[in-house]
Amino acid sequence: MRSTSLHHALRGLVRSGAVPVLLLAAAAGSVSGASAHAADGPTTALGTPSAVAPDFQYLGTDDQAHGFTSPKGCLAAKGGGGRAVTNRTRGSVALYREPGCAGPVVAVLRPGAVVQVRPYFASARFGING
């Protein structure tokens, strides 16, 4: 039961924006009993090729981590995009309130941005200028 209460504590940190999602993903692996070490040393926590994080990652309103690797064009935010968002792409990303990159732009994230998005976004357009 300890991992359940820790899970709720980690969720609270994500919602407050105190810790980037990528750090929480590494912590979640260690909490669930997954090994973060291989024969040659640490893997998950150091980001070796076997543990590469998605280029764009977010915690959905469904409390699940979601992400895209090498995203292009307009993509739906499965699980309801929101809360902590990390943009590790090479370009800016526009987040839209409606599916299909329609409706008002909620936020534009520059490369390297780690932000909170409230209340949610439904789609994201990658590779925009700005």
Side-chain angles (χ1 to χ4, degrees), residues 25-26 29 34-54 69:
S35 174
H37 291 83
D40 60 348
T43 56
T44 304
L46 296 179
T48 60
S50 62
V52 175
T69 301

Side-chain angles (χ1 to χ4, degrees), residues 54-68:
D55 298 322
F56 181 82
Q57 188 174 20
Y58 62 94
L59 182 65
T61 56
D62 62 356
D63 290 329
Q64 299 293 318
H66 299 274
F68 302 112

Side-chain angles (χ1 to χ4, degrees), residues 14 17-25 53-60 65-71 81-93 95 107-117 121 124 126:
V14 169
V19 179
V21 173
L22 296 176
L23 293 177
L24 290 176
D55 298 322
F56 181 82
Q57 188 174 20
Y58 62 94
L59 182 65
H66 299 274
F68 302 112
T69 301
S70 301
R83 303 190 179 116
V85 181
T86 303
N87 179 19
R88 292 186 156 215
T89 67
R90 294 182 184 201
S92 294
V93 179
L95 306 178
V108 175
L109 284 63
R110 295 186 182 270
V114 178
V115 299
Q116 294 282 324
V117 176
F121 62 97
F126 296 88

